[in-house]
Amino acid sequence: MTKSIGKRVPASQDALNAFVTAQLLDNGMDLIAGKINVLREKLLRSESSDGDEQTRKKWARQLQHSLALACRLLTKQRRQLNHCIERVETDYSRGVIGLGVAKKKDVEAQEEGNLYSRTYTRPRTGSSSTAAATETDGYVGVMVPSKENILAIGCHVAAKVARSHELWIMARVVKFNADSSTYEVEDVDSGDDDDEDDAPRRHYIVPWQQVVELPGDSLPKGEWIHYAVNERVMAMYPNTTSFFRSTIRVPNPKGAPYVILKFDEDEDEQGFVPDRKVPFRFVAPLKPWHQK
C-alpha cells in the first residue's frame, strides 16, 4: 500500500488566505471606524453647545483611544499586505505560481519529492529544532487549567476577543465554565455610551488560554513582580485600553510606578521601535501557554 502525500499549498496562498480572513472576514476596523465617527459627532456637538468641559474631555479621551487603536490595526494590515506581496513575488520567481498546466505539474511533482525527503529526515540529536520541540511539547496537551490557574471572579485581565488577530482588551472576569474551560469576561470600557457607570457592557466568551491576569492590583502587601530585561509580557498600550505583547527593556525596582518596554510591531515609518512607559498595574507576566 502506498502512502499518498497531499499537495503543499504555496506560501503565497497561505499568506493570502490569512490576509482575507483577518482583514476582510474578521476585520475589527469596521467597528472602530464606526466608534470614531460617533465620538467625533459627539465631540463636535459638545463644542458647539454649552456642554460642560468634563464631557468634552471625556469624548476627546475616548476619541484619542479609538484613533490610537485604529493606527495600530492599520499598521498591522499594511505589514500583512506587504508580507503577501513578498510571498507572491517569491513564489512567482520560483515558478510555483503563474505557470502553464504542464510546467505546474512538473513543479508539483518536484515539491512532493522534496516534501517526502523532509518528512522522513530525522533531525540531528541536540539540534535547535529538537530543542524547540522539547520546549513546547510540554504545553501542547494542556487543554484544561489546573485549579491554581483558574482566575477569581472580578479580577481584571487582558482578554483576546478577536478570533483571527491579536485584539486584547482590558476586561473583568464574570465567571469560569469548567465544562468548556472558558471564561465569560466583561469589557471594562463602555465605549461611546453617555453614562459610563450605568451603561451595559459587552460580554465575551473566551478560551482560558486567551486570558492574562493583571496581578498589579491584587498583590499582597510587601510582594512585588520584578521583570527581567527581555522578559515577554502583556502590556496596555498608552492612551488605550488595549493590550499587546511586549518586551521588557529596563528592570523595574520595587515600588516603581512604571515599567519601560517595547511593544511588538510598534515601528514608526523609519522602522524605529521606541521605548514606552506603562503603569505597573497594566503589565502582566505571560504564562507558558501565552508565549508565542
Side-chain angles (χ1 to χ4, degrees), residues 20-256:
V20 169
T21 300
Q23 309 305 339
L24 300 182
L25 302 181
D26 191 21
N27 186 1
M29 185 58 70
D30 293 338
L31 178 63
I32 295 174
K35 182 176 290 188
I36 289 173
N37 189 46
V38 171
L39 289 170
R40 173 181 170 274
E41 292 296 330
K42 289 188 175 184
L43 185 59
L44 290 175
R45 286 200 303 268
S46 65
E47 290 178 346
S48 61
S49 63
D50 295 330
D52 64 283
E53 184 178 356
Q54 290 300 321
T55 299
R56 288 195 294 270
K57 286 183 177 180
K58 181 179 72 172
W59 299 141
R61 285 195 304 269
Q62 293 186 7
L63 181 59
Q64 183 185 31
H65 158 78
S66 297
L67 288 171
L69 183 56
C71 286
R72 288 186 61 86
L73 287 179
L74 286 172
T75 299
K76 187 169 185 177
Q77 287 178 352
R78 184 184 65 179
R79 186 176 293 109
Q80 193 170 18
L81 183 56
N82 286 336
H83 175 70
C84 288
I85 294 172
E86 292 173 359
R87 290 298 185 184
V88 170
E89 290 177 346
T90 300
D91 282 353
Y92 181 79
S93 64
R94 292 173 55 228
V96 177
I97 59 175
L99 302 174
V101 176
K103 180 65 175 176
K104 189 172 183 180
K105 288 182 178 179
D106 292 340
V107 172
E108 287 177 352
Q110 182 179 359
E111 288 294 331
E112 286 185 0
N114 293 339
L115 177 62
Y116 182 88
S117 299
R118 289 194 299 270
T119 303
Y120 293 98
T121 300
R122 296 180 60 185
R124 296 191 303 273
T125 303
S127 67
S128 58
S129 60
T130 304
T134 303
E135 182 179 353
T136 57
D137 283 350
Y139 302 104
V140 170
V142 180
M143 302 300 294
V144 179
S146 58
K147 289 184 178 180
E148 59 268 20
N149 287 321
I150 297 177
L151 305 180
I153 293 175
C155 74
H156 286 91
V157 297
K160 184 176 183 289
V161 297
R163 292 173 298 170
S164 61
H165 56 279
E166 291 285 298
L167 178 58
W168 296 71
I169 65 170
M170 186 172 180
R172 185 182 298 105
V173 172
V174 176
K175 66 179 179 180
F176 175 74
N177 187 323
D179 294 331
S180 60
S181 294
T182 57
Y183 285 101
E184 179 181 346
V185 298
E186 178 184 66
D187 189 351
V188 300
D189 183 8
S190 60
D192 54 11
D193 299 293
D194 292 331
D195 191 339
E196 294 189 2
D197 294 328
D198 298 332
R201 300 176 188 272
R202 182 172 296 183
H203 284 218
Y204 300 90
I205 304 297
V206 295
W208 71 276
Q209 301 98 326
Q210 296 178 5
V211 174
V212 179
E213 182 183 13
L214 302 179
D217 288 335
S218 58
L219 281 177
K221 186 176 180 179
E223 291 191 11
W224 192 253
I225 300 176
H226 292 279
Y227 295 109
V229 175
N230 294 327
E231 182 176 348
R232 297 285 289 162
V233 297
M234 189 72 75
M236 181 186 287
Y237 196 78
N239 300 317
T240 76
T241 55
S242 299
F243 286 77
F244 299 90
R245 299 175 192 272
S246 50
T247 303
I248 297 296
R249 293 284 294 160
V250 179
N252 59 313
K254 187 173 183 178

Side-chain angles (χ1 to χ4, degrees), residues 248-265:
I248 297 296
R249 293 284 294 160
V250 179
N252 59 313
K254 187 173 183 178
Y258 294 97
V259 179
I260 298 176
L261 45 77
K262 283 184 182 290
F263 284 95
D264 292 1
E265 302 179 357

